[in-house]
C-alpha cells in the first residue's frame, strides 16, 4: 500500500516544474503525432532509456530520477505520464486500441540493466513502478480494453487470471482502477466507463428477466452472467421480489428508515438494526435466530462506537456503523485481508441470503454503498492473479453482488 506521506510530499514539491515539462512534452507529441508514434517515443524514453530524440527532455528526466526521493515518488510521475496520453485517447473511440498497447510496454522491459548510469537509474525505477499500486490499476485498465465485449466466459477462460475479467464488474472500477494520485479527468473517464457497463448489464438483465417470464418457446435466453440459468433466475427473484411477506428488500429498507427516526438511542438502534438485517435470513434459516454467528454479529454491533450508545442517532453514527459492519461481514484489513465471515456465510446459507443481507444494509444506508464496493475490490485485487477456476466462490459472489446492485440501484430505464 502507498504511503500518504510520500504522495503528500510529491503533491507539494516545489520541483514539480520538472514533471510538468514531461507532461507538456507528451501532450505536444500526442497532439502532433498518431498514437503509434507517440507510443514509440514513450518506449524510447522510459523503457529503452538509452537516450531520447529530444535532449532537453532527456535531461529533465535525468534530474527527476536523480533526486533522493525518486524511489518513493517516481511512480506518481510515470503514472501521470501514462494518463496524460490515456485520458485524451479515451475520449476518441478510434484511439482506444492505443490504451492497452501503451500499458503493454511495461510487460517487456529490457533484461539488461543499461549501458549508462542514467539508463540503469531509469530502468531500475521503471521496474519498481511495475510493482506499485499505480501499475496494478493500469494493468486492470488494460484488461478492460483487451477483453472482448461479451461478459460470458468460455470454458477455455478457466485458466485465465481473475484480473482478465474485471470489465464484468463495474462496481469495482472506482477502487480497482483509481489510485490516490488519479486526476479529475481520469476519475471522470472511469465513471463514464462504469455507467456504460452498468447500463449494458442492466439492459441485458432486464431482457433476460422479461424472457424468463414469457413463453420459453421464444428461443434460448441470453444469460449475461456466469451464474447458471437457474441460479440467475433465483437471484433476480430474490433481489427484486418479496422477502418479508409483501415487502421487497427496498420496501424493508424504506420501512426501517422510517422506524429508525423514532429510536431513543444509538444502542437501541443497533439492537433493532440486527433484527432488520437478520430477519429475512432467520425466516429461511431459523437457526440464525441465535446461533454463534448472530451472537458475534450482535457483539460486533454492540462494540462499534459504544461510547455514543446513550446519544441520539445521527447520520455520522449510521454511516460509520455500516462501514465497520461491512468490514466484519465481508473483509477486514486490506493489507492482509480477513474474509472468513463472508466465506462462512456463503458456505452455510448460500450466496443469495448472504448478498441479500449486504443489500439491505446499503439500501438503508446508501452512503455505505461505496464502502461495500471497496470491500469487494479488496477481495478482487487480493485474488486477481489466481486462475478463475480456483476462485469460483469469489466469482459467484461478485456475480451476485452485480445482480443485486444493478437491479436495486441501476438507472437504465428498465423495471424488474
Amino acid at each position: 500500500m502507498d504511503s500518504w506521506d510520500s504522495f503528500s510530499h510529491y503533491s507539494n514539491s516545489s520541483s514539480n516544474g520538472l514533471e510538468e515539462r514531461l507532461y507538456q512534452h507528451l501532450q505536444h507529441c500526442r497532439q502532433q503525432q498518431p498514437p503509434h508514434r507517440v507510443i514509440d517515443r514513450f518506449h524510447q524514453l522510459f523503457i529503452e532509456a538509452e537516450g531520447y530524440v529530444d535532449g532537453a527532455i532527456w535531461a529533465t528526466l535525468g534530474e527527476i530520477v536523480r533526486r533522493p526521493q525518486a524511489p518513493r515518488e517516481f511512480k506518481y510521475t510515470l503514472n501521470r505520464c501514462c494518463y496524460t496520453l490515456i485520458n485524451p485517447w479515451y475520449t476518441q473511440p478510434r484511439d482506444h486500441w492505443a490504451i492497452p498497447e501503451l500499458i503493454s510496454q511495461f510487460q517487456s522491459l529490457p533484461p539488461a540493466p543499461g549501458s549508462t548510469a542514467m539508463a540503469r537509474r531509469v530502468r531500475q525505477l521503471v521496474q519498481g513502478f511495475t510493482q506499485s499500486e499505480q501499475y496494478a490499476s493500469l494493468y486492470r485498465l488494460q484488461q478492460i480494453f483487451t477483453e472482448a465485449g461479451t461478459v460470458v466466459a468460455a470454458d477455455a477462460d478457466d485458466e485465465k487470471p481473475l484480473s482478465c475479467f474485471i470489465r464484468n464488474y463495474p462496481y469495482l472500477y472506482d477502487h480497482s482502477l483509481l489510485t490516490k494520485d488519479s486526476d479529475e479527468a481520469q476519475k471522470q473517464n472511469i465513471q463514464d466507463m462504469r455507467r456504460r457497463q452498468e447500463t449494458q448489464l442492466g439492459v441485458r438483465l432486464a431482457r433476460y428477466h422479461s424472457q424468463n417470464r414469457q413463453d420459453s418457446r421464444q428461443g434460448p435466453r441470453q444469460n449475461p452472467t456466469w451464474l447458471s440459468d437457474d441460479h440467475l433466475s433465483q437471484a433476480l427473484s430474490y433481489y427484486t421480489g418479496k422477502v418479508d411477506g409483501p415487502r421487497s428488500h427496498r420496501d424493508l429498507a424504506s420501512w426501517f428508515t422510517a422506524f429508525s427516526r423514532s429510536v431513543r438511542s444509538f444502542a437501541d438502534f443497533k439492537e433493532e438494526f440486527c433484527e432488520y438485517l437478520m430477519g429475512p435470513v432467520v425466516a429461511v434459516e431459523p437457526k440464525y435466530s441465535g446461533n454463534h454467528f448472530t451472537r458475534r454479529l450482535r457483539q460486533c454491533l454492540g462494540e462499534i462506537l459504544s461510547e455514543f450508545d446513550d446519544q441520539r442517532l445521527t447520520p455520522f453514527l449510521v454511516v460509520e456503523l455500516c462501514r465497520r459492519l461491512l468490514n466484519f461481514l465481508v473483509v477486514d484489513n486490506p493489507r492482509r485481508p480477513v474474509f472468513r465471515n463472508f466465506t462462512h456465510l456463503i458456505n452455510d446459507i448460500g450466496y443469495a441470503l448472504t448478498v441479500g443481507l449486504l443489500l439491505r444494509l446499503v439500501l438503508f444506508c446508501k452512503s455505505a454503498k461505496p464502502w461495500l464496493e471497496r470491500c469487494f475490490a479488496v477481495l478482487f485485487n487480493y485474488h486477481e492473479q489466481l486462475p478463475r477456476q480456483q476462485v469460483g466462490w469469489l466469482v459467484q459472489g461478485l456475480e451476485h453482488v452485480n445482480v443485486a446492485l444493478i437491479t436495486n440501484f441501476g438507472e437504465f430505464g428498465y423495471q424488474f
Side-chain angles (χ1 to χ4, degrees):
M1 301 289 289
D2 283 344
S3 163
W4 273 104
D5 290 340
S6 67
F7 177 60
S8 178
H9 182 275
Y10 168 80
S11 300
N12 298 322
S13 174
S14 61
S15 58
N16 276 355
L18 294 172
E19 282 85 353
E20 284 299 324
R21 291 183 209 169
L22 278 183
Y23 309 148
Q24 291 173 9
H25 173 70
L26 291 171
Q27 287 174 356
H28 178 76
C29 292
R30 180 191 56 78
Q31 292 165 355
Q32 300 298 320
Q33 297 177 342
H36 72 273
R37 293 287 302 278
V38 178
I39 292 173
D40 287 344
R41 279 180 169 267
F42 187 94
H43 189 274
Q44 182 187 32
L45 181 61
F46 292 112
I47 308 303
E48 292 180 5
E50 291 283 3
Y52 189 60
V53 291
D54 188 320
I57 294 300
W58 182 243
T60 296
L61 180 61
E63 291 187 63
I64 292 172
V65 302
R66 283 193 292 268
R67 291 186 303 204
Q69 67 267 32
R72 298 190 308 273
E73 300 177 3
F74 183 71
K75 60 188 174 186
Y76 304 124
T77 301
L78 187 49
N79 195 45
R80 176 74 178 275
C81 286
C82 292
Y83 277 100
T84 296
L85 302 175
I86 290 172
N87 286 334
W89 283 343
Y90 176 78
T91 65
Q92 300 293 331
R94 68 175 183 273
D95 294 333
H96 281 185
W97 66 268
I99 296 174
E101 184 64 24
L102 176 74
I103 300 169
S104 70
Q105 303 305 303
F106 295 106
Q107 286 140 35
S108 56
L109 299 180
S115 60
T116 66
M118 172 70 171
R120 289 192 290 273
R121 181 64 167 169
V122 173
R123 291 186 181 185
Q124 179 187 40
L125 291 173
V126 171
Q127 179 65 47
F129 173 74
T130 63
Q131 308 302 313
S132 70
E133 178 185 341
Q134 284 67 28
Y135 174 72
S137 297
L138 276 170
Y139 180 79
R140 297 177 196 124
L141 183 69
Q142 180 186 10
Q143 306 314 308
I144 289 180
F145 285 95
T146 299
E147 292 298 310
T150 180
V151 298
V152 181
D155 291 342
D157 290 334
D158 281 349
E159 294 298 327
K160 289 184 178 180
L162 183 63
S163 61
C164 292
F165 307 105
I166 188 172
R167 68 171 298 125
N168 296 9
Y169 309 110
Y171 63 91
L172 300 180
Y173 289 5
D174 291 357
H175 299 284
S176 293
L177 300 180
L178 297 174
T179 53
K180 64 176 63 69
D181 53 318
S182 297
D183 61 19
E184 286 305 313
Q186 183 185 352
K187 292 176 183 177
Q188 290 175 9
N189 290 342
I190 296 304
Q191 282 297 310
D192 180 68
M193 289 170 52
R194 173 175 178 164
R195 282 192 298 269
R196 289 172 182 268
Q197 190 66 13
E198 285 178 338
T199 298
Q200 291 176 13
L201 178 58
V203 169
R204 289 170 179 165
L205 279 173
R207 287 175 179 166
Y208 179 88
H209 186 58
S210 177
Q211 291 173 347
N212 213 24
R213 298 169 63 183
Q214 297 170 1
D215 193 335
S216 61
R217 290 175 295 180
Q218 288 186 344
R221 295 165 294 180
Q222 296 182 339
N223 184 337
T225 74
W226 289 353
L227 301 174
S228 69
D229 285 348
D230 287 344
H231 286 167
L232 176 55
S233 297
Q234 292 167 9
L236 285 170
S237 176
Y238 187 71
Y239 300 135
T240 65
K242 309 305 180 184
V243 294
D244 180 35
R247 292 182 290 198
S248 67
H249 291 286
R250 275 195 269 194
D251 296 332
L252 279 173
S254 297
W255 168 82
F256 190 71
T257 298
F259 169 80
S260 66
R261 298 190 185 104
S262 65
V263 296
R264 293 176 299 178
S265 67
F266 184 48
D268 290 344
F269 169 79
K270 289 191 288 186
E271 186 64 28
E272 297 299 333
F273 194 42
C274 186
E275 298 296 330
Y276 160 72
L277 292 175
M278 296 303 297
V281 175
V282 173
V284 179
E285 295 284 351
K287 66 180 181 181
Y288 273 78
S289 63
N291 68 353
H292 179 66
F293 175 84
T294 304
R295 292 196 301 272
R296 289 180 57 240
L297 176 61
R298 289 186 186 279
Q299 180 182 356
C300 174
L301 281 165
E303 292 173 352
I304 294 175
L305 300 171
S306 58
E307 63 271 27
F308 297 99
D309 277 353
D310 294 333
Q311 296 190 16
R312 299 285 293 181
L313 194 63
T314 66
F316 164 77
L317 290 176
V318 170
V319 173
E320 189 61 25
L321 173 74
C322 290
R323 284 164 53 123
R324 297 192 192 185
L325 192 56
L326 285 170
N327 289 346
F328 171 81
L329 291 170
V330 184
V331 62
D332 199 5
N333 192 350
R335 293 176 184 269
R336 293 183 178 178
V338 177
F339 42 92
R340 64 174 65 93
N341 287 330
F342 179 67
T343 54
H344 165 75
L345 285 173
I346 60 177
N347 287 328
D348 197 43
I349 61 175
Y351 293 95
L353 288 178
T354 301
V355 174
L357 188 161
L358 303 176
L359 176 62
R360 288 190 294 282
L361 188 153
V362 297
L363 281 171
F364 167 71
C365 180
K366 293 180 175 59
S367 296
K369 179 171 173 281
W371 199 257
L372 174 68
E373 296 166 354
R374 173 191 177 274
C375 287
F376 277 93
V378 169
L379 288 179
F380 181 92
N381 298 346
Y382 183 69
H383 294 91
E384 65 182 333
Q385 295 306 317
L386 295 176
R388 182 174 71 100
Q389 65 178 358
Q390 289 188 20
V391 285
W393 65 271
L394 178 55
V395 172
Q396 294 289 302
L398 293 168
E399 293 289 338
H400 272 267
V401 173
N402 234 3
V403 175
L405 295 183
I406 289 291
T407 54
N408 283 275
F409 292 93
E411 299 178 355
F412 42 82
Y414 281 71
Q415 296 297 320
F416 287 87

